[in-house]
Amino acid sequence: MTGFSALDHLHMATALRLAERAAYTARPNPMVGCVIAHGERVVGQGWHQRAGGPHAEVFALREAGEQARGATAYVTLEPCAHYGRTPPCALALIESGVTRVVAAMRDPFPQVDGGGFDLLRAAGIEVSEGLMAAQSRELNRGFLSRVERGRPWVRVKLAASLDGRTAMADGTSKWITGAAAREDVQHWRARAGAILTGASTVLADDPQLTVRLADTEVLPPLRVVLDAQLRSLECARVREGPAPTLYLHDPAISAPDAADAQFASVPCVGGRLDLAAVLALLGARGINELHTEAGATLSGALMAGGWVDELLLYQAPTLLGEHGLPLFAGLGVHAMQQQHRLQLIDQCQVGTDLRLRLRPAG
């Protein structure tokens, strides 16, 4: 976007880096960073660290103190205009005496959605928006998905051999990828509001689905098990530890009383839980990013239904052969024109493995 200086870009880039520091703790709120500056001189900076705590602008203004008067505030998302668990940041900026606010993008949250900009302009503050908007949207893709689409951003994680196999025919999959790749997955789990899996995966692997990052503050993601008939309840590792666990099941099945789990019913379509209803329920529960670790059936159903926003694929330099299990089942591809084309977002080597991040083309 035109009209912004190189210095504007520099300060906004810093604000975006600050915002990302709360990738594991801010949810369900968006990640927001703020820089307050007089020209090149930065007098305050901050980021929103966790829901219910001060917003980024408040931390930056506290650091700036009286030096905020006459300064420019750079913020990665429109300052809030409503009273929630904290007062409106737009009013805090007005009271501080800043004379200009540069925002990366408007906040589509209904209680804001331009209201913050209106308050600032009514107070005589110059407001500019749209600087590095694409980067801001990418940072908060989960929050924006929930607000704008009513469902989380869905990421499907898979580990496969070079010949596209995720396990042997008997379900054995430990380990296709190396230790570095498995460590890398922990960071993606930590970003998520929930980790989704299916009953078959729980029965086969008895996973914990927890985040294991030493010396890192993480808000434990909700563990969600799609289990229409509640047939995986005897596998208890998915209920161990401080992270909550939610079982989604057929309304015809009675859920037991359990102190270590939550239960909710979801409509079934064709004998399977309705994935649209699943995602809507999770969106209503404040889940921004949904990280999926499941087998070919659930992964395939998400892909075939058009629900996958991002595929996180770890490809190991090994071959499992024709008896291995595929990445996806049930895609219904019978002709070239039915193929699911993906766009490569980035790739990098993680230990001995290759990590590919892909999104549906178009």
Side-chain angles (χ1 to χ4, degrees), residues 15-90:
L16 286 163
R17 287 194 295 272
L18 289 168
E20 198 167 15
R21 294 187 182 185
Y24 303 160
T25 58
R27 60 180 185 270
N29 288 1
M31 293 171 266
V32 183
C34 179
V35 170
I36 298 173
H38 288 274
E40 295 182 359
R41 184 167 62 94
V42 173
V43 296
Q45 58 184 23
W47 66 94
H48 179 49
Q49 298 175 14
R50 58 186 53 82
H55 289 186
E57 298 93 326
V58 172
F59 281 117
L61 289 171
R62 285 178 183 174
E63 186 175 292
E66 285 300 314
Q67 295 182 90
R69 192 162 301 279
T72 295
Y74 298 87
V75 62
T76 58
L77 190 68
E78 176 185 4
C80 63
H82 65 292
Y83 285 88
R85 284 187 277 183
T86 59
C89 290

Side-chain angles (χ1 to χ4, degrees), residues 3 18 169 199 295 314 339:
L18 289 168
Y314 294 86
Q339 63 186 289

